[in-house]
Amino acid sequence: MTTIRQRKGGKVPEGDEDQPSEEKNVKSERKILYDHTGGKLWNILSLTVGGIVAISLGLLTSVYVATLHENDLWFSNIKEVEREISFRTECGLYYSYYKQMIQAASIQQGIVNCKQYLEPVYFYIYTLFGLQAVYVIALYVTSWLLSGTWLSGLLAACWYITNRIDTTRVEFTIPLRENWALPFFAIQIAAITYLFRSHLQPAQERLTLLAVFVATFLFSLTWQFNQFMMLIQALALFILDCFDILPTAKVMWLYVIQISGLLLVCALQFFNSMILGSLLISFNTSILIARTIQKNLKKGSLLNRLGKLILHALLVSSLTLLVNKFIKKILNLESDEHIFKFLKAKFGFGATRDFDANLYLCEEAFGLLPLNTFSRLSDTLLFYVYIFILFPMTITAVIVALRNLSCSNQAQEKLEECTISLKPDAAYNLIHTVLFGCLALSTMRMKYLWTSHMCVFASFGLCSTEVWRLILKCVHLYTSQRTQMIKYLIPIITLLYIVYKFWPGIMDELLELREFYDPDTVELMNWIKSNTPNTAVFAGSMQLLAGVKLCTGRTLTNHPHYEDKHLRERTKQIYQIYAKRSPEDVYRILRSFSTDYVILEDSICYERRHSRGCRLRDLLDIANGHIMDGLGENEPDLKPSLYPRFCEEIKKNLPSYTIHFTRVFQNKTFHVYKLAKHK
């Protein structure tokens, strides 16, 4: 641009009458340039500080949970067998595969030379505690992306830490598959949040889709419940796409990514049939098919579009059931039937005597979310803020959905300039938190998927300009300056409250020292290693046998991997040791699985943890058609058993038992019997 400068003497020459206005333009352009440069520097500074805070909080969380684990068990001071026993139930099974891998000669010759610097067990647990750092950073970044300020990420991380009892259980169930998976799920949510931002460059969009795929694949690879979590995620995308709140092209890509990730996992898991028969693959495939059949879904009047959407939903539902049934019929799949029996009984669609379904129904973890969860979440103000943000955003989503259905595209663009709107990334996180909240309310074990995202959603809302603008407009107090002040002031006050109230408790918790103590189990494992051949086959409860495999390396008849139908049936047969069966029947069952030793636990045989009807022996009695022990009602068609309870009667050393079983070990908790090998 050419400019004319004023000549010396201050007189404007003829023809230069426009010079003052052009001088103003120059100054205006310089101001814009300075503002742009200053804004760019501020963004770089904010990004740097926010990134440093995110990494620092992630590392602090990792150190925090690692310290709690050490303080609770005195892990560094106990023996190896005690460390392994501390991995309870299925945790021991998962760790045993890692132990088996590092003891293999080919691996030893390769990567496990790190043993001279770090014990294998510490490499394992530190990897998981390190993933907690990744988890917190992903939550932090998601909140930051939604609100535009890293202050909300800081608040999300602080809420995650102070609500640790309800957001994670990694410090006492380290090897659980969910502890491997949830950090990758959080990364996937962060990537999806970024994907739904407007004005992404094509290269940015492709890289984000790649990040979503990698995170989806790793999440699917590490957790057996991945297909059900992603089914809920797919349902969220389907709902938002139907109401034209998300860009359809990106949603279609996400459906394809979910299918591709699962199929790749299926191949890597030696063609795991349960994955092929998953509802997620059937649902996503049905949506893609329905989209090619139905055209112009997003055109027409309100009633016209509602009719199309209802038809679309019915078509997708019908196709999903047909495709799923077809796949299961062709491949003869029954791996997940116990889950559907459990869901049917849980939601009141008929009682069941199915042993596997009742085993889930009677576990507290698969029951409703306890009410005291909300009181704990309220102590940190998390639940109050969450509800405070959820209500106006839900109202906004309903209004936007109805507006989208009512208006044409041109009218919609005009209305968005003057009425309330909902960004696609915020809309996705809204429906995500609502659906996973419903899942958590119905099944306590799934609360960790909800509570961690609750931290993200509440912190985003508290630091969001759009949310505060909406709230202040509703109460006729909106000004731009007031909105900016509140979006920073309220979160800072909340952070100060959290630090003031919970910092002393966290410090006290870090100073509290305990020690692992389970002498009966240690004695059992040491006896097995010293007194049984390496090829011996052991039968017993799923939970205990996982520890036997880990600590002794002996062969098992069954273990806690419950996603295989044949293994479920085998477990039910093995559990007849706690039922009312004859010694001949029990011996025949055990020997059919080549059992050499059977371990009986008094804690199961005389169980008091569950109420009548939910004790393991009761579930077996019901499944076998026998009347339960103790006072109380029985279903009319149940009959008394002809035999006493095996686990009780065998201790009397009657001839009918000793001919098949010889007691070779006992302590206050366990009784081990060796099976005779009759010709």
Side-chain angles (χ1 to χ4, degrees):
M1 177 180 174
T2 303
T3 58
I4 301 174
R5 297 187 180 182
Q6 186 174 337
R7 296 174 184 174
K8 292 181 181 179
K11 188 176 179 181
V12 179
E14 190 176 346
D16 288 357
E17 294 84 355
D18 294 336
Q19 180 186 343
S21 63
E22 291 191 7
E23 276 191 348
K24 288 180 183 178
N25 289 339
V26 171
K27 290 179 181 178
S28 176
E29 287 178 6
R30 286 176 179 171
K31 185 176 184 302
I32 291 170
L33 180 63
Y34 293 149
D35 289 345
H36 177 72
T37 305
K40 199 170 183 180
L41 289 173
W42 174 253
N43 288 339
I44 292 171
L45 178 63
S46 177
L47 188 66
T48 304
V49 173
I52 291 170
V53 173
I55 294 169
S56 301
L57 281 170
L59 293 174
L60 282 172
T61 304
S62 179
V63 172
Y64 174 52
V65 293
T67 305
L68 290 176
H69 175 257
E70 169 64 24
N71 291 354
D72 190 49
L73 300 174
W74 202 5
F75 200 75
S76 60
N77 192 62
I78 58 179
K79 299 174 184 177
E80 183 180 4
V81 65
E82 293 175 311
R83 289 176 178 174
E84 291 175 347
I85 292 170
S86 72
F87 298 141
R88 302 286 187 181
T89 64
E90 66 262 44
C91 298
L93 177 69
Y94 305 146
Y95 181 75
S96 71
Y97 295 118
Y98 166 74
K99 181 181 177 182
Q100 184 177 337
M101 183 187 73
I102 63 170
Q103 289 179 344
S106 60
I107 296 293
Q108 284 182 339
Q109 292 167 2
I111 64 171
V112 194
N113 290 329
C114 65
K115 286 199 287 187
Q116 58 185 310
Y117 306 107
L118 190 68
E119 293 179 68
V121 68
Y122 276 105
F123 176 78
Y124 185 89
I125 65 173
Y126 285 167
T127 299
L128 271 157
F129 291 145
L131 279 175
Q132 279 295 296
V134 174
Y135 195 8
V136 170
I137 292 170
L139 298 176
Y140 181 108
V141 169
T142 305
S143 186
W144 186 358
L145 287 170
L146 287 167
S147 67
T149 171
W150 56 262
L151 181 62
S152 67
L154 173 61
L155 184 55
C158 289
W159 264 329
Y160 178 85
I161 294 167
T162 52
N163 291 283
R164 174 183 55 81
I165 293 173
D166 294 300
T167 55
T168 182
R169 50 179 178 165
V170 68
E171 77 274 13
F172 61 90
T173 58
I174 297 174
L176 275 187
R177 286 179 280 184
E178 68 186 53
N179 294 329
W180 292 96
L182 292 186
F184 299 119
F185 193 49
I187 293 171
Q188 188 226 41
I189 294 169
I192 290 175
T193 300
Y194 185 76
L195 178 68
F196 284 134
R197 303 185 93 180
S198 56
H199 310 302
L200 285 184
Q201 298 297 322
Q204 290 176 314
E205 189 171 313
R206 285 193 293 269
L207 284 173
T208 307
L209 286 169
L210 177 62
V212 173
F213 173 77
V214 172
T216 301
F217 165 69
L218 292 173
F219 170 64
S220 303
L221 188 65
T222 48
W223 198 21
Q224 77 275 27
F225 289 134
N226 65 78
Q227 54 174 295
F228 303 105
M229 304 307 106
M230 290 199 295
L231 178 62
I232 294 174
Q233 194 175 54
L235 182 61
L237 295 170
F238 178 73
I239 293 169
L240 292 172
D241 182 40
C242 284
F243 289 106
D244 210 12
I245 297 176
L246 297 181
T248 300
K250 292 180 179 180
V251 172
M252 294 300 115
W253 270 113
L254 291 176
Y255 291 144
V256 172
I257 283 173
Q258 286 186 330
I259 295 173
S260 304
L262 272 186
L263 291 178
L264 182 56
V265 170
C266 177
L268 290 175
Q269 291 183 349
F270 308 101
F271 296 96
N272 183 347
S273 61
M274 186 175 175
I275 293 176
L276 293 175
S278 68
L279 273 176
L280 175 66
I281 288 181
S282 303
F283 180 69
N284 286 10
T285 304
S286 300
I287 292 173
L288 296 175
I289 294 171
R291 278 290 181 158
T292 60
I293 296 173
Q294 286 184 291
K295 305 293 184 182
N296 301 323
L297 274 175
K298 299 183 179 182
K299 292 182 179 179
S301 63
L302 174 61
L303 291 177
N304 193 337
R305 290 188 64 178
L306 280 174
K308 288 180 181 178
L309 285 181
I310 292 170
L311 184 61
H312 183 60
L314 289 173
L315 178 61
V316 169
S317 302
S318 303
L319 278 174
T320 299
L321 295 175
L322 287 172
V323 170
N324 191 254
K325 192 168 184 179
F326 176 76
I327 292 173
K328 288 184 175 179
K329 188 75 174 176
I330 292 295
L331 300 177
N332 193 26
L333 302 180
E334 297 177 309
S335 299
D336 57 358
E337 63 176 7
H338 65 298
I339 296 175
F340 294 104
K341 288 179 181 177
F342 159 71
L343 292 173
K344 184 179 176 182
K346 181 178 176 67
F347 294 110
F349 296 104
T352 179
R353 290 186 180 178
D354 183 76
F355 175 76
D356 302 315
N358 283 329
L359 205 58
Y360 280 107
L361 285 170
C362 287
E363 281 301 318
E364 184 182 5
F366 291 93
L368 299 177
L369 188 67
L371 292 177
N372 60 8
T373 306
F374 300 107
S375 62
R376 289 194 300 271
L377 295 173
S378 299
D379 286 343
T380 62
L381 303 182
L382 173 59
F383 187 65
Y384 295 134
V385 173
Y386 177 77
I387 295 299
F388 176 72
I389 301 301
L390 184 65
F391 180 73
M393 286 202 66
T394 303
I395 299 298
T396 301
V398 172
I399 293 171
V400 169
L402 290 174
R403 185 189 67 198
N404 289 350
L405 291 178
S406 303
C407 302
S408 64
N409 289 336
Q410 290 98 355
Q412 183 176 318
E413 289 174 6
K414 292 178 181 178
L415 278 170
E416 283 178 352
E417 297 175 2
C418 58
T419 60
I420 60 174
S421 62
L422 186 64
K423 292 181 179 178
D425 53 358
Y428 169 75
N429 280 273
L430 170 64
I431 194 72
H432 180 103
T433 197
V434 169
L435 293 181
F436 278 93
C438 294
L439 177 66
L441 290 171
S442 66
T443 308
M444 187 186 75
R445 185 176 176 182
M446 301 302 169
K447 73 174 179 178
Y448 302 103
L449 290 153
W450 182 45
T451 49
S452 58
H453 192 265
M454 186 189 290
C455 300
V456 170
F457 191 78
S459 60
F460 141 65
L462 215 57
C463 298
S464 169
T465 302
E466 291 80 8
V467 172
W468 281 114
R469 182 191 297 132
L470 174 65
I471 293 171
L472 291 175
K473 280 184 176 180
C474 288
V475 293
H476 306 291
L477 292 174
Y478 171 74
T479 64
S480 178
Q481 294 81 4
R482 186 175 288 142
T483 303
Q484 291 299 313
M485 180 186 70
I486 289 176
K487 69 173 279 192
Y488 290 111
L489 183 61
I490 300 297
I492 290 171
I493 292 172
T494 305
L495 280 168
L496 292 174
Y497 168 80
I498 291 171
V499 171
Y500 172 76
K501 184 169 182 180
F502 293 97
W503 182 260
I506 290 174
M507 291 298 101
D508 291 342
E509 191 177 33
L510 290 172
L511 294 174
E512 191 175 343
L513 303 178
R514 299 187 184 90
E515 184 178 357
F516 175 84
Y517 186 74
D518 189 356
D520 290 347
T521 307
V522 171
E523 184 184 11
L524 172 66
M525 299 305 173
N526 287 333
W527 180 87
I528 292 173
K529 286 194 286 187
S530 304
N531 296 277
T532 64
N534 293 337
T535 56
V537 178
F538 278 79
S541 70
M542 294 185 290
Q543 296 81 359
L544 179 63
L545 290 186
V548 170
K549 175 177 170 56
L550 170 58
C551 297
T552 71
R554 300 302 189 264
T555 304
L556 313 178
T557 56
N558 56 306
H559 59 65
H561 184 73
Y562 220 58
E563 284 74 51
D564 181 84
K565 183 185 179 183
H566 299 296
L567 192 54
R568 290 197 302 270
E569 291 174 348
R570 175 180 287 212
T571 297
K572 181 182 175 183
Q573 289 298 307
I574 296 294
Y575 276 9
Q576 297 303 312
I577 59 178
Y578 296 109
K580 297 171 181 176
R581 298 290 291 269
S582 70
E584 293 78 17
D585 283 348
V586 174
Y587 176 81
R588 178 181 49 78
I589 291 169
L590 293 176
R591 284 304 299 161
S592 70
F593 300 120
S594 303
T595 306
D596 297 311
Y597 297 87
V598 60
I599 307 173
L600 297 175
E601 300 168 64
D602 287 347
S603 59
I604 297 178
C605 192
Y606 306 107
E607 181 190 357
R608 295 180 180 178
R609 184 169 69 93
H610 291 102
S611 60
R612 184 177 184 270
C614 267
R615 299 169 298 189
L616 180 62
R617 62 180 187 266
D618 297 334
L619 301 184
L620 290 164
D621 289 342
I622 294 170
N624 293 339
H626 297 152
I627 291 174
M628 295 181 286
D629 292 339
L631 298 175
E633 294 183 358
N634 290 281
E635 292 187 28
D637 60 331
L638 295 179
K639 299 177 181 179
S641 173
L642 298 175
Y643 303 98
R645 195 166 305 280
F646 177 83
C647 63
E648 296 176 356
E649 201 70 10
I650 193 175
K651 295 170 187 174
K652 298 177 181 179
N653 291 323
L654 299 173
S656 57
Y657 289 83
T658 55
I659 191 174
H660 302 298
F661 304 94
T662 303
R663 185 162 56 199
V664 291
F665 172 86
Q666 76 174 88
N667 60 21
K668 291 184 294 183
T669 306
F670 304 106
H671 303 262
V672 181
Y673 292 87
K674 185 176 182 179
L675 276 70
K677 294 187 178 179
H678 303 310
K679 291 184 180 179

